[in-house]
Amino acid sequence: MKRTKIIDFFKHLDTLEIGGTVSVKGWVRTKRGNNAVAFIALNDGSIVHSLQIVVDPAKFDAELLKKITTGSCIHVIGKLVESQGKGQTVEVQAEQIELYGTADPEVYPLQKKGHSLEFLRDIAYLRPRTNYFGCVLRLRHAMAFAIHNYFNSHGYVYLHTPLITGSDAEGAGAMFSVTTLDLNNIPKTPEGKVDYSKDFFGKPTNLTVSGQLEGELGALALGAIYTFGPTFRAENSNTPRHLAEFWMIEPEIAFYDINDNMDLAEDFLKYLINYALENNYDDVKFLNDMFDKELIDRMKFVLQHDFVRLTYTEAIDILKNSGQKFEFKVDWGVDLQSEHERYLVEKHFKRPVILTDYPKEIKAFYMKQNDDGKTVRAMDVLFPGIGEIIGGSEREADYDKLMKRVEELHIPEKDVWWYLDTRRFGSAPHSGFGLGFERLLLFITAMTNIRDVIPFPRTPQNAEF
Ligand code: 4AD
Ligand code: MG
């Protein structure tokens, strides 16, 4: 008999026959009841809701029923009936139960409801069995799908940029090295340095911090591309917003200036938020009710308002005149901290903000230089509860200006010659940005720690499972 997914009992009831026989499979969330009747809440991950299974204990072996505990996995064949109880419209009266796998209550860690997120982080390998993480993972999938959908329907090419790279041109953070050398017996040159000619690639290599530089090669040939893949940063920043391995979406578009770039960022983010509300409302609603009663309002609010756009210099003035005490002092030239970004978004403007034209010293070498000689055409999108969610810029398309910056920053030309060549051969104005996938998910799920929106978080001292 064909198995019915639990989502169908909630979303596609019209395809099922009341009074008919159904086959369902899933994991037991709870079992309660007495000698006369037992109720099992069964979940198969297809939807946040569980299906109620009604069991007449007289009809089943007592030993079997005893083994059906929270976390065990069962197959039930039974009759679909309208429910008497509150909270569900239908339920299944069990006729046959097959036990696939037990979960000994003495040792299975997920017994009660409402475990703390900290506790669940320690047993991250079992978190997908909880309602909350089921919602997060379904939303994570939905956002990934929507991202591809958005770019595909707008004519972008999905470009696969390499994860192993020979350059650290971006300078976005400390990198993880990739090597096959025996660390206990490192080959040395006569000068006593590591002999990378003996290494797999014949040179030092790292895990990428961004696919942008290769993405630009694609944009300057295909017109519009995007990357969507894992990126790696080895900085030791143990914050609720940083991962050592995170996913980034990087569109790069020829003939786009900074204003086109901002329009794209705003439209893209609003599309994704709207997609989550329209297609995964049950998941968002569950997280709203369980974790943050303002989640849905916040999402709708962002959809209904234009993002504020202003320059870094204007933002510094606002922060200096705010009368607010910040841990990190504000002055023109400093990199903004999350406390500053959140003040602008949450207290001052009370809506998402796009800051542009940052001092060139705190931004990457490839950003288009403004005529003032001090600032570059950078743009950061700042979101409530998060701070920076997107970082991007219009790119410097002029070979001489770019070369000058490369020299000023002592970037080895041997690392970036291929990138510089794009400005020698058919250079074009172009722009792009990077959206942190997990930062987006923080906004969509109301989670406050980035470790809670990725299945297997990689953070300092943490790569167990
Ligand atoms: O601002 P970032 O460093 O920009 C770049 O890497 C550019 N190459 C992007 C581009 O223009 N194509 O990173 C982009 C975004 C940030 O705004 C943030 O959302 C996210 O990536 N991000 C992180 N997310 C989680 N953990 C980390 N350690 C992150 N570092 C950056
Ligand atoms: Mg940034």
Side-chain angles (χ1 to χ4, degrees), residues 363 380 388 391:
K363 290 292 181 187
D380 278 10
E388 179 189 339

Side-chain angles (χ1 to χ4, degrees), residues 161-165 167-168 170-178 206-211 229-235 242-248 250 438 454 456 458-459:
T161 49
L163 300 192
I164 299 175
T165 156
S167 71
D168 175 23
E170 170 87 27
M175 302 182 91
F176 290 99
S177 26
V178 176
N206 300 299
L207 292 178
T208 189
V209 294
S210 157
T231 45
F232 308 88
R233 297 188 186 179
E235 63 256 85
H242 288 87
L243 290 164
E245 176 180 296
F246 65 99
W247 288 63
M248 185 153 55
E250 295 183 275
E438 286 76 20
I454 187 165
F456 306 103
R458 294 288 173 262
T459 49

Side-chain angles (χ1 to χ4, degrees), residues 170 233 335 341 363 367 379-380 388 390-392 434 439:
E170 170 87 27
R233 297 188 186 179
D335 207 353
E341 298 173 339
K363 290 292 181 187
M367 295 192 182
M379 57 164 238
D380 278 10
E388 179 189 339
I390 278 180
R439 301 249 177 117

Side-chain angles (χ1 to χ4, degrees), residues 52-344:
Q52 175 150 291
I53 311 289
V54 186
V55 182
D56 175 357
K59 289 191 187 159
F60 295 90
D61 173 22
E63 279 308 303
L64 170 78
L65 292 188
K66 232 166 90 188
K67 287 187 194 150
I68 299 177
T69 55
T70 294
S72 62
C73 185
I74 57 173
H75 172 199
V76 178
I77 293 179
K79 192 169 159 191
L80 181 63
V81 297
E82 266 165 44
S83 179
Q84 310 298 312
K86 268 205 208 139
Q88 67 269 325
T89 53
V90 292
E91 59 196 24
V92 170
Q93 288 173 348
E95 282 158 6
Q96 296 171 39
I97 302 178
E98 183 185 355
L99 182 63
Y100 282 146
T102 57
D104 182 354
E106 295 293 320
V107 285
Y108 182 59
L110 290 173
Q111 288 303 324
K112 61 183 175 68
K113 283 187 175 175
H115 286 294
S116 76
L117 294 171
E118 289 79 10
F119 170 79
L120 293 174
R121 234 170 269 150
D122 289 337
I123 51 158
Y125 72 107
L126 287 174
R127 282 192 303 187
R129 298 277 189 93
T130 62
N131 282 339
Y132 113 82
F133 214 65
C135 289
V136 168
L137 289 182
R138 278 184 298 272
L139 280 164
R140 198 178 156 99
H141 159 76
M143 287 297 93
F145 179 80
I147 285 161
H148 287 298
N149 212 20
Y150 180 89
F151 287 123
N152 182 57
S153 65
H154 287 77
Y156 287 63
V157 172
Y158 179 27
L159 186 77
H160 295 110
T161 49
L163 300 192
I164 299 175
T165 156
S167 71
D168 175 23
E170 170 87 27
M175 302 182 91
F176 290 99
S177 26
V178 176
T179 182
T180 52
L181 293 179
D182 178 358
L183 296 184
N184 291 312
N185 187 15
I186 297 173
K188 293 281 172 69
T189 63
E191 298 81 48
K193 298 212 164 123
V194 178
D195 184 0
Y196 282 105
S197 71
K198 302 266 176 359
D199 204 351
F200 190 91
F201 296 105
K203 62 183 278 192
T205 50
N206 300 299
L207 292 178
T208 189
V209 294
S210 157
Q212 179 196 324
L213 300 193
E214 295 88 351
E216 285 185 49
L217 306 179
L220 293 173
L222 297 159
I225 63 93
Y226 69 105
T227 71
F228 185 3
T231 45
F232 308 88
R233 297 188 186 179
E235 63 256 85
N236 212 345
S237 45
N238 237 326
T239 82
R241 277 176 303 278
H242 288 87
L243 290 164
E245 176 180 296
F246 65 99
W247 288 63
M248 185 153 55
I249 300 98
E250 295 183 275
E252 192 72 34
I253 318 94
F255 318 121
Y256 258 32
D257 69 12
I258 186 87
N259 294 307
D260 302 318
N261 207 26
M262 286 192 275
D263 291 345
L264 174 67
E266 183 165 345
D267 187 60
F268 178 49
L269 286 169
K270 285 179 172 170
Y271 171 85
L272 296 175
I273 295 164
N274 188 54
Y275 187 97
L277 286 172
E278 282 195 351
N279 296 278
N280 286 66
Y281 189 75
D282 287 7
D283 294 324
V284 176
K285 181 85 170 73
F286 178 87
L287 294 167
N288 183 87
D289 296 351
M290 296 297 292
F291 290 102
D292 182 346
K293 301 266 185 300
E294 283 162 24
L295 171 64
I296 292 176
D297 286 346
R298 205 160 49 236
M299 290 170 78
K300 289 188 173 159
F301 183 85
V302 168
L303 289 181
Q304 286 155 4
H305 293 84
D306 290 342
F307 296 5
V308 180
R309 301 178 185 192
L310 73 160
T311 65
Y312 167 93
T313 304
E314 289 164 334
I316 292 289
D317 283 343
I318 292 172
L319 291 167
K320 278 181 132 177
N321 296 325
S322 66
Q324 187 85 5
K325 279 239 168 347
F326 294 113
E327 193 191 332
F328 294 89
K329 202 169 166 281
V330 200
D331 243 324
W332 199 94
V334 302
D335 207 353
L336 295 183
Q337 302 292 326
S338 157
E339 57 171 342
H340 308 131
E341 298 173 339
R342 292 184 58 177
Y343 175 83
L344 292 169

Side-chain angles (χ1 to χ4, degrees), residues 16-51:
L16 302 171
E17 186 198 336
I18 301 289
T21 303
V22 293
S23 157
V24 289
K25 303 179 179 189
W27 292 269
V28 174
R29 285 285 197 264
T30 55
K31 188 177 91 180
R32 59 191 176 82
N34 49 40
N35 290 337
V37 61
F39 299 100
I40 297 170
L42 196 67
N43 188 284
D44 68 359
S46 60
I47 189 167
V48 62
H49 310 302
S50 295
L51 179 68

